[in-house]
Amino acid sequence: MRVSWKFTWAAALAVALGSSGMGTSPAGQGDDDLIAVEAHDGGIELEKLLALAADVTGEPFFFDPAALHGLRARPIEAKAIPRRRLLSFLDDQLREADCVIVERIVAGVRCHRVVARGFSGRSQSDLKTAAEVVTPDELASIADRWKLVTTGVTFRSTGLARGMDHSICYRHADSQSESIRSIQGTGAFVITGPAANLAQEVALIRRLDASGIRSEIDDREEARLDALVARVAALEAALAGR
């Protein structure tokens, strides 16, 4: 196999100068520079693709070599990728190999950990705990990434929330890297999984919630609250009349 990695001059200079030191990929004028990744006679080894990403971003990537040994990216003849989209491309290639990526800030530097979900060489029980916590709005900004994140979303409709509890669980089976949990007594959910998947779920939930869908559960809940308000008002009136 022959593999060649090509940088434009500006991108190569940005790598030579290193990262910004703020825990994010180098950004600025070089973001639109194209990185050409070429592989002939088969896909690039994932270890080499990770080495390229580390060079371009100036950020460390950690992985177990035994877990990725022999794994390759999808065969491609040539691919020109804007520098700012390299991590998204890497995410997609890792996902095809059933790998997930976890990111965290350590001493001001963003670090990446790549885990092969089917590899049993080490415990992966901390994957969901290590997932970055993001808001739904932050999630929308990384909807093209497959890194592991956790977010929360809340329904205004109690009935819709209870219905969705069953409807979307099948998309987020409780595993080492994905889960969905409802907060008892509320319409809130905490969801963990790849950012791209979660972004679709949150968008769907928001559209459904904004549609004004109601159920018998909502009507009963509203009647219960109205009755409670009436009882409180009656007690206040009784106390005021003493």
Side-chain angles (χ1 to χ4, degrees):
M1 180 185 74
R2 180 173 66 85
V3 177
S4 64
W5 297 332
K6 298 179 181 179
F7 296 70
T8 64
W9 180 85
L13 178 61
V15 172
L17 293 177
S19 66
S20 62
M22 296 301 290
T24 58
S25 301
Q29 294 180 348
D31 274 2
D32 290 326
D33 288 329
L34 296 180
I35 299 173
V37 182
E38 298 181 6
H40 301 280
D41 303 321
I44 299 175
E45 295 176 4
L46 287 180
E47 293 181 61
K48 292 182 178 180
L49 192 55
L50 288 170
L52 172 62
D55 283 343
V56 172
T57 63
E59 299 168 351
F61 285 76
F62 301 98
F63 59 91
D64 187 339
L68 298 185
H69 181 68
L71 295 180
R72 296 175 179 271
R74 286 195 305 263
I76 54 174
E77 185 66 19
K79 183 75 174 180
I81 309 163
R83 188 165 177 265
R84 58 187 166 79
R85 300 298 300 273
L86 179 62
L87 287 180
S88 298
F89 173 73
L90 175 63
D91 285 344
D92 184 63
Q93 298 298 316
L94 289 171
R95 177 173 176 265
E96 289 293 320
D98 198 26
C99 297
V100 294
I101 191 164
V102 178
E103 297 176 358
R104 63 173 56 184
I105 303 299
V106 179
V109 177
R110 182 172 62 172
C111 300
H112 310 258
R113 180 161 66 98
V114 178
V115 180
R117 288 187 287 194
F119 185 68
S120 58
R122 60 178 295 180
S123 172
Q124 301 173 10
S125 60
D126 65 334
L127 276 178
K128 285 185 286 192
T129 303
E132 180 183 357
V133 178
V134 299
T135 67
D137 290 335
E138 290 170 334
L139 181 62
S141 69
I142 53 172
D144 62 340
R145 297 287 314 274
W146 289 94
K147 71 172 186 174
L148 202 60
V149 297
T150 293
T151 194
V153 63
T154 302
F155 284 98
R156 291 173 295 178
S157 166
T158 302
L160 189 57
R162 293 184 185 178
M164 289 298 291
D165 191 13
H166 299 286
S167 300
I168 63 178
C169 277
Y170 78 98
R171 291 172 65 100
H172 294 279
D174 191 6
S175 65
Q176 294 171 329
S177 59
E178 297 178 52
S179 68
I180 179 169
R181 291 286 183 271
S182 58
I183 300 177
Q184 189 172 4
T186 74
F189 291 87
V190 176
I191 314 175
T192 299
N197 279 350
L198 265 58
Q200 293 183 52
E201 300 292 1
V202 170
L204 173 62
I205 288 170
R206 284 181 161 179
R207 284 197 295 268
L208 288 172
D209 203 35
S211 69
I213 295 175
R214 292 179 59 84
S215 71
E216 293 180 0
I217 293 176
D218 294 310
D219 294 335
R220 289 198 300 267
E221 184 69 11
E222 188 172 302
R224 186 184 67 82
L225 291 175
D226 288 343
L228 182 59
V229 169
R231 289 178 61 189
V232 170
L235 287 172
E236 289 178 340
L239 290 173
R242 287 187 177 182

